[in-house]
């Protein structure tokens, strides 16, 4: 049976419909918002995966090119591997959904959100969150939701709910929030150095809108009336639990205090292996149950130690930052490089400067655009002491790179100030928590080392949370262990002036505004400490670019002169490139960039373009060429393609009977521009550019007064 609910959201109607489309899925939602249509489906296997003790959830967001009336490029003319936006949006939907499945739910579950129509407002990502949540809510799949998502922008100091792409161009905030009716589950934001209070205010506004949408999804769930499956958790023998506790509680407490990550994990693995061997029996699932109990005790011991003793695995207090070292200029041939090390996390950041030829063209549903700043994050297996095949970047790598790119984007100078394409690559050489934040810090240092005139240095820090009942503790600069066993991963980046990016994921039912305020305040203190450490390595951009970086020389020409530089069929610009060996890019706006490693060649190209685009100035003297002789005067070319008339009366100081008595075609003569009329006709004078004859009034000395 078809059921529909709708709600007014930021001036547009959001409609959620089920029971008409994709009826064989466990849950399906046809979501419409303006002319954007997203179909979300949820399907779960009827049988749990044998031997699995984790949630086997897959979330995919896909954009169909027909949604925007396009045919895919390439040979096959069909959608291929997911784009970066599709990967990031899949993560955006997955992250707030995953914590809301019940413990012990080990059934293969797949959520797919497909964009079927796109109205170029750019809101299909948050509609995907809403539709996916609603599809799970109306299904029989156990889910402790629903959730909803909202986008917030800020223009001229005013918040805008679900801003379109045009509005976002002038917005100093790009925020996506997802949550339940009770709490915020996920935050993803990029900002232009905004205060923490402003960020919190925006999140609270988003949550107020989320509550309204969640209420509508609840209404739809009740209309459909499907009964949720009952999750039966696997029973583990209480006697076995006590046996394991007696054997490992003490050794676990000792092991988790080992500061070195590898040594700590090695000791924990050893204790587990000894326990499994000691409690071996013929009972089915015995080994697996021992491992489940062991990891549960590890989880409890780490959290209790932090909450009760205020001591972390590496001996730090809750707000302490790990030791930091910063090195710059570590690669002689790179345009800029830095190594940032914080505890056992280390990033090698490398900056490469390119020309307009290196810009990345993005063909999105909303239209094409060029990307002039890129950040790519790599996480090789040796960074965590593992040996496994190298693969192309996965969702995690793409997501971490996008977060670091968003953190640095607002400090990158515009093309008018720095006309380079900038690429940063972060190679994670060691990892024990916060490698994306190390990427931000290393990326900033590498930009300074490359001589990029950034607005302000940016640092990043990952915050954690341990919450047991009324006991709550916020942790600064979390370790991998604290990320794994804690309740929150809250990454904050910014300058000394304000926040540039946020990313928050919650593993519990959400956090309150008060807790978020505390985390942001503690993060700011940590960020300022890290910025101080970075300043000891480099405080300002280097004044000179690397000798191996291309030199780009910008210039501006009038738009009506572009055709003169390009020439018929590109003939003129090709001849300049051939003669000078430079790269030239001409924008429709009249902005021209000349790129060359040789300054003399670049200057030669600049001079050639100036000659092609130079405009005649009244009062200026030019060396021109006589192009045409007439009875009344001579036409003289003063600039390429530009000529003016020298009337016969202006050819000489004496009276001229015939033009040919003074000049012939092809002669080079000095002429002065007398006037340019409204029609653009140029009046020239040869005699004004010539010295006056001796004895004429112009050469007589002025009488003494």
């Amino acid at each position: 049976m078809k059921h529909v609910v709708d709600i007014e959201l930021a001036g547009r109607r959001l409609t959620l419909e089920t029971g008409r489309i994709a009826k064989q899925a466990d849950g399906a939602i046809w979501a419409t918002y303006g002319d954007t249509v997203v179909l979300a489906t949820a399907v779960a296997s009827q049988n749990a995966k044998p031997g699995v003790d984790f949630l086997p959830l897959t979330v995919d967001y896909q954009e169909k090119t027909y949604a925007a009336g396009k045919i895919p490029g390439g040979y096959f003319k069909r959608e291929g591997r997911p784009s970066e936006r599709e990967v990031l949006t899949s993560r955006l939907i997955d992250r707030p959904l995953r914590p809301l499945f019940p413990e012990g739910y080990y059934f293969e579950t797949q959520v797919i959100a497909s964009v079927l129509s796109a109205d170029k407002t750019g809101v299909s990502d948050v509609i995907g969150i809403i539709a996916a949540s609603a599809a799970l809510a109306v299904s029989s799949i156990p889910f402790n939701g629903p959730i909803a998502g909202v986008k917030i922008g800020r223009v001229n100091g005013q918040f805008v709910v679900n801003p379109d792409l045009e509005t976002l161009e002038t917005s100093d905030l790009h925020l996506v929030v997802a949550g339940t009716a009770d709490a915020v589950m996920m935050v993803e934001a990029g900002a232009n150095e905004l205060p923490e209070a402003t960020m919190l205010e925006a999140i609270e506004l988003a949550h107020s809108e989320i509550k309204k949408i969640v209420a509508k999804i609840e209404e739809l769930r009740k209309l459909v009336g499907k009964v949720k499956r009952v999750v039966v958790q696997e029973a583990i023998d209480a006697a076995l639990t006590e046996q394991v506790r007696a054997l490992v509680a003490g050794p676990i407490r000792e092991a988790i205090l080992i500061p070195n990550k590898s040594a700590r994990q090695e000791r924990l693995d050893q204790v587990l292996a000894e326990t499994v061997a000691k409690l071996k029996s013929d009972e089915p699932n015995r080994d697996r149950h021992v491992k489940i109990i062991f990891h549960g005790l590890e989880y409890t011991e780490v959290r209790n130690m932090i909450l009760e003793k205020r001591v972390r695995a590496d001996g730090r207090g809750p707000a302490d930052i790990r030791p930091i070292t910063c090195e710059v200029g570590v690669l002689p041939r790179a345009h800029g490089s830095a190594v940032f090390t914080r505890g056992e996390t280390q990033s090698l950041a490398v900056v490469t400067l390119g020309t307009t030829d290196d810009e990345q063209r993005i063909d999105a549903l909303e239209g094409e655009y060029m990307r002039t700043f890129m950040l790519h994050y790599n996480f090789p297996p040796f960074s965590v002491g593992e040996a496994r095949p190298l693969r192309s970047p996965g969702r995690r790598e793409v997501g971490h790179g996008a977060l670091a790119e968003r953190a640095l984007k607002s400090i990158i100078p515009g093309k008018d100030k720095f006309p380079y394409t900038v690429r940063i690559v972060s190679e994670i050489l060691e990892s024990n928590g916060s490698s994306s934040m190390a990427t931000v810090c290393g990326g900033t240092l590498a930009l300074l080392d490359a001589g990029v005139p950034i607005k302000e240095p940016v640092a990043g820090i990952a915050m954690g949370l341990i919450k047991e009942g009324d006991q709550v503790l916020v942790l600064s600069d979390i370790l991998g262990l604290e990320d794994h066993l804690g309740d929150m991963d809250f990454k904050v980046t910014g300058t000394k002036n304000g926040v540039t990016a946020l990313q928050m994921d919650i593993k519990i039912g959400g956090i309150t505004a008060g807790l978020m305020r505390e985390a942001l305040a503690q993060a700011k203190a940590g960020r300022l400490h890290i910025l101080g450490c970075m300043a000891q390595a480099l405080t300002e951009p280097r004044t000179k670019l690397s000798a191996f970086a291309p030199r780009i020389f910008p210039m501006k020409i009038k738009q009506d002169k572009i055709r003169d530089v390009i020439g018929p069929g590109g003939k003129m610009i090709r001849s300049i490139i051939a003669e000078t060996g430079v790269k030239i890019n001409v924008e429709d706006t009249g902005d021209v960039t000349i790129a060359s490693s040789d300054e003399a060649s670049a200057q030669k190209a600049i001079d050639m373009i100036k000659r092609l685009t130079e405009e005649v100035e009244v009062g200026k003297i030019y060396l021109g060429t006589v192009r045409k002789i007439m009875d009344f005067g001579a036409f003289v070319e003063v600039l390429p393609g530009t000529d003016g008339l020298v009337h016969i009366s202006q050819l000489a100081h004496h009276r001229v009977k015939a033009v040919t008595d003074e000049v012939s075609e092809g002669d080079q003569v000095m002429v002065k521009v007398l006037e340019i009329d409204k029609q653009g006709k140029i009046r020239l004078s040869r005699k004004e550019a010539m010295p006056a004859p001796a004895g004429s009034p112009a050469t007589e000395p002025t009488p003494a007064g």
Side-chain angles (χ1 to χ4, degrees), residues 9 44 123 185 220 245 305 318 419 488 534 551 558 625 634 666 705:
L9 182 62
V123 293
M185 298 294 299
L220 184 63
R245 189 192 305 277
M305 181 180 71
M488 175 180 78
M534 291 164 59
R551 295 300 190 270
K558 289 192 174 181
T625 304

Side-chain angles (χ1 to χ4, degrees), residues 351-365:
V351 167
T352 307
L353 304 178
T355 67
T356 51
D357 290 348
D358 299 304
E359 292 178 0
Q360 184 182 18
R361 184 177 66 86
I362 305 293
D363 187 10
L365 283 187

